Amino acid sequence: MLFNSFTFILFLAVILALRYSPLTWRVKRLWLLVGSYGFYAAWNPPFVALLWVSTWTDWIVAQRIYRARTRRARRVFLVISLSINLGLLGFFKYSNFFLESLGHLYAFWRVGGSLPLLDVVLPVGISFYTFQTLSYTLDIFRGRGRPWHSFLDYALYVAFFPQLVAGPIVRAFHFLPQCLRERRPTGDEFAWAMSLFSLGLFEKIVLADGLLAPIVETVYDAEGPVDVLSAWCATLAFSSQIFCDFSGYSLCAIGIAKSLGFSIPDNFYFPYASIGFSEFWRRWHISLSTWFRDYLFIPLGGSRRGPFRNTLNVIVTMLLVGLWHGASLRFVLWGGIHGFLILAERLVKRSMPQWDVWKTGYGKLVLCLITFMFISIAWSFFRAESLDRALLILQNMFGIGVGFSGLRLKSSDMVIAIFLTVSIFLTQWLMRNKTLEWLATCSPWWARSLALAGILILIVLGAGEDRAFIYFQF
Amino acid sequence: MYECHLRTAGFRPSVVDDRDLWSYYRAQVYSYGRKTIVLLGASRIQLDVIPHELEKMFPCYRIVQLAIDGKHPLSVLKDLSEDQGFRGIIVCSITALGFNRENWDDQSDFVEYYHNHFTLDKRVNRMIKTFIQQHLVIADPYVKFRKVFDYFLRRKRMPPPRYLVTCADRSRKADYSIVDVRAERAFRIKRIREIYEQNPAPPHQTWVRQAMAVEPFVAEIQGRGGKVVFLRLPSTGKHWELDQQFYPKDRYWDQFAAGTSAETIHFMNCSTLSEYNCPEGSHLDSKDAPTFTRDLGRELRKKGILSSCGYHQRTQYE
């Protein structure tokens, strides 16, 4: 069920009616759980069973880990959890990727023909809820929490519909304590929650789907070369599209959770205002980057074990971040590029002279712009349907092979792509150290009302074709 | 305000005809059992035949419009033949091109979507969307800001109302009084000529053999108590001349009609159906569609495919 569908609005109305009814808190949580399973089943009912497997596994394993007396036993239980969760993820998401890769290897060594691929449907959101349940087990393994007393709360944590299929990846001990007692949002909080939901829908429906997606599709889904300007416009448009799409989803999720009286963490903090690639990953898909930082990068030794190990840890982590996004070499390459950029940034910081110019507002803006351009170029690998297409568009961006010939976007598309990208970049730059709450608090009531009315009108009149959220495929 | 402006400018609400809407109706082919009439085909049957008019004539039947614009219909016929739950009547609008083997899978993406992706939430979403789109002009993507902006940049004026609107039952109404019919006709003729020239007609014996390959589908449906009618809807003027030039009726359609166990209706064989004029050569104007639908209903009754449901209805329409 998509947030940008009428079915979801109907579903949300029912859930909110139950949430604000005079039922007991336990019954309300139960309904939230049933509703969340219904939300997931609307896509493909049999796959709710996978969600149950993941939920049960970590619920039981976490208790066993906590009760185990020896470190060895704790490790055995952890391996069980990792095997089941990552095994399911691996089977559903990566089996064909590995079979294909093996096939290529066989072909390279001339061992035999290609391997047959499996007819596997990727369960929506599997990467998200697998990481959520794993974080619970890992936190208990590392002694950061005790097994939760209520299975109902735990099941709700895993299946909570606002963040079930595309995050943010919520940590158990952030969510579970909120289940202890009912917290009814005040009128102002509810209004703010609905404003966030509307803003998220605006980003998704109007900006990402209505304006940017058609431009990106014209170039990236076509065949053959593209002229220089069009290649740049489409790539910049995709930078804006993926931000609006995913940040729009996260805002919707946060708004819906707030309207139900729950808080889930921010997932984006004006990422295109980052100065440097390390900062970008502290602002982009925050729940995923912190997950990898806490459960992979730091356990691998982080940056405490010398420069070589640190380099290796960064590369391994970023390659896996790339692989998490999709079972394709393109995503791995995209992660690898980010790993390389993070390392290059450190090198540059160490070796470049500390000129004062970089500390001024304009200097920072230039650095921010450079960061944004590199990030946008890297998105080509993320968006293109194949590695060949990504490489061709990259060549075209730098005028290799085509120059000003090849497929050309309409001038109105170029104007929209450039205007929106510049607007999004500048907005994020101006909001770099601020928050949406701050903006709302500083603005007079009539400005807030006008903005909200404008957003709602644009949602009605500016919608494009319905598209699923990009991150649903991960 | 925008809604009022559009309505005074002559815009009418139009439903977006997508795979969800098609699947919504595909799921309804069981509701009336043998009294379900499923319309298959492409744009012609969507524009020429009005389900509501047929239902008025035959009130005990339920009409389901499953035609898909711009695509030949045999993959849906195959799908319905394989669906053991379907026992109704199929009225399949088809041209000689539609029987060519390479066109059989034209509509298969819709069939695949219905079977594998049309979930309950999409069904509910489509119901709500249809309701909104059939009542509000501003729900039509044609008048969304982006489209209007693009049109304005190109032509330096607001877009005019569309001559074609889609109804909630998936029928379409064409108002040729607001388009340049001559240009539209020239465009259609050019297009159909290109299609015929790029896909030369096979020898008629080969074509008949290919066309007769639909017999297992027909037999399967008729074996369950259903009926199948292949229908050739009108094309006129230069368009019909081209149809005749590349697929002469006597060597193609008539040969198939003689061999198939299904009923066939060719507009040229019916005095009432051949009297209509297609303004751009291929489709009827919405003013003619109701009378055409009633004439077609009479033909279907004459062939024994549909039966009258009561005295009152019979007297009203005969």
Side-chain angles (χ1 to χ4, degrees), chain A residues 1-2 5-7 10 42-44 210-211 214-215 410 412-413 416 458 460-463 466, chain B residues 2 119-126 128-129 132 138-139 141 143-146 149-150 153-154:
Chain A
M1 205 183 292
L2 299 173
S5 69
F6 291 110
T7 324
L10 201 67
W43 167 71
N44 196 338
L211 295 171
I215 300 170
K410 287 187 289 183
S412 62
D413 285 345
I416 290 172
L458 283 170
V460 174
L461 298 179
D466 290 347
Chain B
Y2 189 45
T119 51
L120 179 64
D121 82 294
K122 285 182 177 159
R123 188 190 171 107
V124 176
N125 194 48
R126 189 55 251 191
I128 302 171
K129 257 170 116 170
I132 294 171
I138 55 167
V143 297
K144 297 289 181 189
F145 284 164
R146 176 73 208 271
F149 176 68
D150 275 351
L153 282 183
R154 276 202 320 274

Side-chain angles (χ1 to χ4, degrees), chain A residues 190-451:
Chain A
F190 187 81
W192 176 241
M194 287 294 113
S195 304
L196 289 179
F197 180 57
S198 308
L199 183 60
L201 284 184
F202 169 76
E203 282 188 17
K204 167 68 181 163
I205 293 174
V206 181
L207 300 180
D209 289 356
L211 295 171
L212 295 160
I215 300 170
V216 177
E217 283 162 7
T218 306
V219 168
Y220 274 86
D221 295 348
E223 287 175 1
V226 185
D227 89 324
V228 176
L229 274 176
S230 302
W232 273 104
C233 285
T235 303
L236 291 176
F238 183 66
S239 301
S240 305
Q241 185 201 347
I242 193 162
F243 169 76
C244 292
D245 190 286
F246 194 22
S247 137
Y249 184 91
S250 296
L251 276 180
C252 287
I254 292 167
I256 297 161
K258 272 186 195 299
S259 71
L260 295 167
F262 288 90
S263 136
I264 55 178
D266 285 341
N267 218 13
F268 290 87
Y269 186 47
F270 306 114
Y272 290 152
S274 307
I275 299 172
F277 309 100
S278 317
E279 187 181 349
F280 174 75
W281 281 102
R282 289 195 296 274
R283 290 169 175 264
W284 176 274
H285 204 173
I286 300 165
S287 62
L288 180 75
S289 50
T290 51
W291 197 100
F292 272 100
R293 183 196 65 198
D294 294 348
Y295 301 114
L296 184 69
F297 182 69
I298 293 174
L300 284 174
S303 46
R304 303 183 307 273
R305 294 196 183 172
F308 175 75
R309 189 60 191 269
N310 178 28
T311 304
L312 192 67
N313 291 345
V314 169
I315 291 293
V316 167
T317 306
M318 292 314 293
L319 286 175
L320 287 172
V321 166
L323 191 63
W324 178 91
H325 282 84
S328 161
L329 196 59
R330 290 178 296 114
F331 293 109
V332 179
L333 200 58
W334 172 77
I337 290 170
H338 272 273
F340 171 77
L341 289 171
I342 289 169
L343 294 172
E345 176 195 343
R346 289 184 188 172
L347 199 69
V348 169
K349 269 186 184 165
R350 258 186 250 133
S351 54
M352 288 287 283
Q354 298 293 309
W355 292 329
D356 286 343
V357 67
W358 299 124
K359 292 173 189 161
T360 62
Y362 290 117
K364 285 180 180 170
L365 184 60
V366 169
L367 289 175
C368 180
L369 198 58
I370 293 170
T371 308
F372 175 66
M373 294 316 279
F374 274 103
I375 287 165
S376 296
I377 291 167
W379 281 131
S380 306
F381 292 95
F382 199 95
R383 173 58 180 84
E385 295 291 329
S386 67
L387 199 55
D388 288 344
R389 185 71 192 153
L391 290 172
L392 181 66
I393 288 178
L394 273 180
Q395 283 177 13
N396 297 164
M397 283 167 76
F398 295 99
I400 302 169
V402 277
F404 288 93
S405 60
L407 174 74
R408 193 178 172 83
L409 281 171
K410 287 187 289 183
S411 42
S412 62
D413 285 345
M414 290 194 193
V415 170
I416 290 172
I418 293 169
F419 173 76
L420 284 181
T421 306
V422 170
S423 305
I424 288 169
F425 178 78
L426 286 180
T427 309
Q428 297 203 12
W429 174 253
L430 294 172
M431 292 291 291
R432 189 175 142 73
N433 297 316
K434 302 176 178 79
T435 61
L436 285 175
E437 285 83 351
W438 170 86
L439 187 67
T441 319
C442 293
S443 315
W445 67 268
W446 55 265
R448 288 200 303 270
S449 310
L450 274 178

Side-chain angles (χ1 to χ4, degrees), chain A residues 90-91 93-101 116-120:
Chain A
F91 174 74
K93 189 165 175 175
Y94 300 107
S95 50
N96 280 333
F97 173 59
F98 287 122
L99 285 172
E100 265 178 342
S101 306
L117 298 184
L118 302 174
D119 185 16
V120 181

